[in-house]
Amino acid sequence: MADGKRFDLAGKRVFVAGHRGMVGAALLRRLSREPVALVTASRDELDLTRQADVEAWMAAQRPQVVIVAAAKVGGILANDTWPVEFLEQNLLIELNLIRSAFRVGVEKLLFLGSSCIYPKHSPQPIKEDYLLTGPLEPTNEWYALAKIAGIKLCQAYRKQHGAEFISAMPTNLYGPGDNFDLATSHVVPALVRKMHEAKREGAASVAVWGTGSPRREFLHVDDLADACVFLLERWSGSEPVNVGCGEDVTIRELAELVRAVVGYQGELVFDPTKPDGTPRKLLDVSRLAALGWRPRIGLREGLAGTYAWFLANAAAARGLAGAAA
Ligand code: GDP
């Protein structure tokens, strides 16, 4: 920690914004093992894009710790298709939460960004200080710009007011509670669902978007949640902290792994008419490693757990009405 002090979460009122999402739900699971009082707000109760409502809610609830896990998120095609929603909703959510957290005297705030904030052609692995050193990947620049604004807002509150606002940049995440809607999902839930359905229907092949050659790093969402608790307690600084496993695979390798986990025997057919996105985004995780944190869940094990979750929760999962039946 920059100043050597440890922040003690014990006894704090912790507001997890976005608790219905994959990340927020994992944070609730992880924080339920800590001696904290959890505070959440459902979408019906609080629309995070409405400034006056967020201010009133925060003033009434008075959380001492805030985790900004609420965001408009989506895969490569969704980002590219709805630039207005990705830019606007993310700016509104983070501005409302960060600003009102400061106003009610929140002791510590953790803002969650994403590895897509870094320049498209960053040297690999990507260090935190490559931020704003080059142009962004066009398929997700709207989301990335909003997330960069969130990091900067935390830095501004720290610089001008000494606020304990920190940010973490997770790599590509996957796990239970993911979005399995093929039009908006990320690659892992998409491949899990496609392979499962192809196996069930005896289909000869599954379409995998792009060329299969982009490389991605994948982190299980339960590992991210653990890292968030770790950073809240141990990190104080204006620089963001990358959260990843330090290893990446090609999309082809990922698809082979999902095929093995699902037990699908058919072929993989790559569709180069769909976008590849950035060629590679492997995070340099040495800052987090130096603090003493390591992920625990390997990719194969994590994918197997995700498939098991999919099978058990298909009816209730987002974007999945009856898909695993
Ligand atoms: P990204 O990391 O922002 O590019 O997000 P995604 O998880 O959506 O995509 C990662 C990579 O997986 C891209 O190269 C996609 O083209 C590739 N991919 C392959 N098949 C699929 C699929 O069915 N859905 C998605 N979302 N991506 C896929």
Side-chain angles (χ1 to χ4, degrees):
M1 185 147 170
D3 62 4
K5 282 200 306 271
R6 192 179 158 131
F7 180 81
D8 195 359
L9 277 174
K12 304 284 190 208
R13 279 172 70 73
V14 182
F15 173 32
V16 178
H19 71 289
R20 290 271 167 80
M22 174 174 69
V23 171
L27 282 163
L28 290 192
R29 287 196 294 277
R30 175 63 187 81
L31 284 164
S32 65
R33 300 186 347 236
E34 299 292 319
V36 297
L38 285 167
V39 184
T40 56
S42 70
R43 215 167 268 215
D44 297 343
E45 246 176 297
L46 178 62
D47 179 344
L48 293 170
T49 65
R50 302 185 74 90
Q51 186 175 20
D53 295 358
V54 175
E55 282 178 0
W57 192 88
M58 291 281 260
Q61 293 292 330
R62 298 253 151 205
Q64 293 156 299
V65 176
V66 171
I67 306 179
V68 183
K72 167 82 181 159
V73 297
I76 192 163
L77 211 57
N79 264 270
D80 214 20
T81 312
W82 296 293
V84 172
E85 281 74 14
F86 277 85
L87 183 55
E88 247 179 33
Q89 289 188 26
N90 285 304
L91 285 172
L92 287 168
I93 291 169
E94 65 204 29
L95 178 60
N96 293 341
L97 284 169
I98 294 169
R99 189 165 184 262
S100 57
F102 178 71
R103 289 185 167 194
V104 302
V106 162
E107 294 166 33
K108 193 137 193 181
L109 176 143
L110 171 62
F111 176 70
L112 287 170
S114 156
S115 58
C116 71
I117 59 158
Y118 294 112
K120 176 176 175 119
H121 295 297
S122 291
Q124 307 283 322
I126 308 170
K127 290 186 192 301
E128 287 88 348
D129 54 14
Y130 298 166
L131 185 62
L132 292 172
T133 56
L136 298 166
E137 156 60 35
T139 53
N140 56 28
E141 68 177 326
W142 320 96
Y143 175 80
L145 269 168
K147 287 293 180 185
I148 292 170
I151 298 167
K152 288 288 158 193
L153 192 58
C154 290
Q155 291 178 344
Y157 272 106
R158 175 179 292 273
K159 180 176 155 78
Q160 194 175 326
H161 297 293
E164 258 308 330
F165 291 0
I166 60 172
S167 11
M169 299 304 118
T171 191
N172 288 41
L173 300 169
Y174 72 97
D178 212 336
N179 168 22
F180 288 85
D181 178 337
L182 295 179
T184 55
S185 72
H186 285 100
V187 62
V188 170
L191 292 180
V192 166
R193 176 174 177 176
K194 285 186 196 174
M195 305 262 186
H196 171 78
E197 290 179 352
K199 178 177 140 185
R200 187 186 60 188
E201 286 150 21
S205 66
V206 158
V208 182
W209 295 357
T211 58
S213 59
R215 302 187 70 88
R216 293 288 184 277
E217 176 188 15
F218 296 99
L219 184 74
H220 194 281
V221 70
D222 286 337
D223 273 333
L224 171 73
D226 189 62
C228 288
V229 170
F230 180 90
L231 286 170
L232 276 169
E233 293 195 317
R234 317 270 184 98
W235 173 252
S236 169
S238 74
E239 289 296 303
V241 181
N242 288 341
V243 185
C245 62
E247 285 169 28
D248 61 3
V249 293
T250 64
I251 295 300
R252 181 185 290 275
E253 287 164 343
L254 173 74
E256 294 290 0
L257 209 49
V258 174
R259 175 163 67 174
V261 163
V262 171
Y264 172 59
Q265 310 286 340
E267 265 185 77
L268 307 177
V269 176
F270 291 87
D271 174 4
T273 66
K274 291 285 195 303
D276 265 346
T278 199
R280 194 175 186 201
K281 49 176 170 176
L282 176 64
L283 292 177
D284 182 317
V285 290
S286 46
R287 177 172 286 162
L288 185 55
L291 291 167
W293 187 86
R294 300 265 179 295
R296 295 197 187 94
I297 306 168
L299 185 54
R300 179 179 277 270
E301 177 197 351
L303 290 173
T306 303
Y307 184 45
W309 185 91
F310 170 89
L311 291 175
N313 293 275
R318 280 177 296 151
L320 250 183

